[in-house]
Amino acid sequence: MKKDGHTHTRLSHHGSQEPLDLYLERAIELGFTDYVVTEHAPLPESFLATYAGPRSQDDDSAMLASELVAYKEEVARVKEKYGEKIRIHQGFEVDYLPGYEAETQVFLQENADWIDEIVLSVHFLENDYGLIGPIDYDPDQLKRFFQRDYRIRRPYLTST
């Protein structure tokens, strides 16, 4: 088995706008047997209402809830088109959001019959102000809002 287990579509809003077909054609060309489409699941509405990071980060971090049907239709389309050449699995990349576990669980239960695989990711954590903010947006945001966790790396010096 040769598998790509973590891929996105144009609905991630932070990656390529290339059609999913091009990724699958390349995977087939490279001899992949399995391909998993794991778009970022919509972020919980209650999280978005209290989000404390840069506005572009919440807009670019996941598909919108209104895009969920289009995502499922796109995966069904490519499964039909390429299914004889490569096994296509469907799923989500789901953010671990401290304090929003119940909403995430409801989403996963509502979509359980559709999901083949899940990628669990951590892109948001509680910052120095007690708010949930992005940890991988940019270095300045990390240094500004996660000072207690921010570490300056220095080369380890040895003497001979």
Side-chain angles (χ1 to χ4, degrees):
M1 177 192 317
K2 187 173 181 180
K3 177 180 178 178
D4 187 333
H6 180 185
T7 65
H8 298 300
T9 70
R10 62 179 175 72
L11 298 173
S12 68
H13 303 282
H14 63 267
S16 173
Q17 292 298 303
E18 296 291 335
L20 186 52
D21 298 65
L22 293 181
Y23 291 97
L24 286 160
E25 290 166 9
R26 183 68 173 148
I28 293 164
E29 180 183 311
L30 293 173
F32 280 80
T33 60
D34 292 75
Y35 192 92
V36 186
V37 185
T38 53
E39 190 54 81
H40 289 270
L43 296 168
E45 292 298 324
S46 58
F47 170 75
L48 293 173
T50 60
Y51 176 71
R55 290 316 316 171
S56 62
Q57 182 70 12
D58 68 335
D59 293 339
D60 292 347
S61 294
M63 80 172 97
L64 304 174
S66 61
E67 296 171 315
L68 189 57
V69 170
Y71 170 60
K72 289 180 177 182
E73 289 173 350
E74 177 68 357
V75 175
R77 182 189 69 76
V78 297
K79 284 178 90 166
E80 175 72 24
K81 184 174 180 180
Y82 298 101
E84 292 184 16
K85 298 178 182 177
I86 190 168
R87 285 184 296 275
I88 300 171
H89 309 272
Q90 56 203 31
F92 295 102
E93 179 174 348
V94 178
D95 269 288
Y96 169 68
L97 298 168
Y100 297 89
E101 295 88 347
E103 290 93 332
T104 301
Q105 185 175 13
V106 167
F107 174 82
L108 293 174
Q109 288 172 337
E110 290 172 349
N111 291 280
D113 292 342
W114 186 83
I115 297 170
D116 294 324
E117 297 197 26
I118 297 170
V119 173
L120 179 63
S121 60
V122 178
H123 295 100
F124 304 92
L125 289 174
E126 184 177 311
N127 64 26
D128 294 341
Y129 303 98
L131 304 169
I132 303 295
I135 61 169
D136 59 356
Y137 184 70
D138 66 38
D140 291 335
Q141 289 289 320
L142 184 66
K143 186 175 181 180
R144 180 175 172 201
F145 294 107
F146 292 89
Q147 192 58 224
R148 68 170 185 240
D149 299 317
Y150 186 76
R151 304 284 185 265
I152 298 175
R153 296 179 184 236
R154 294 183 183 186
Y156 182 73
L157 301 176
T158 58
S159 58
T160 55

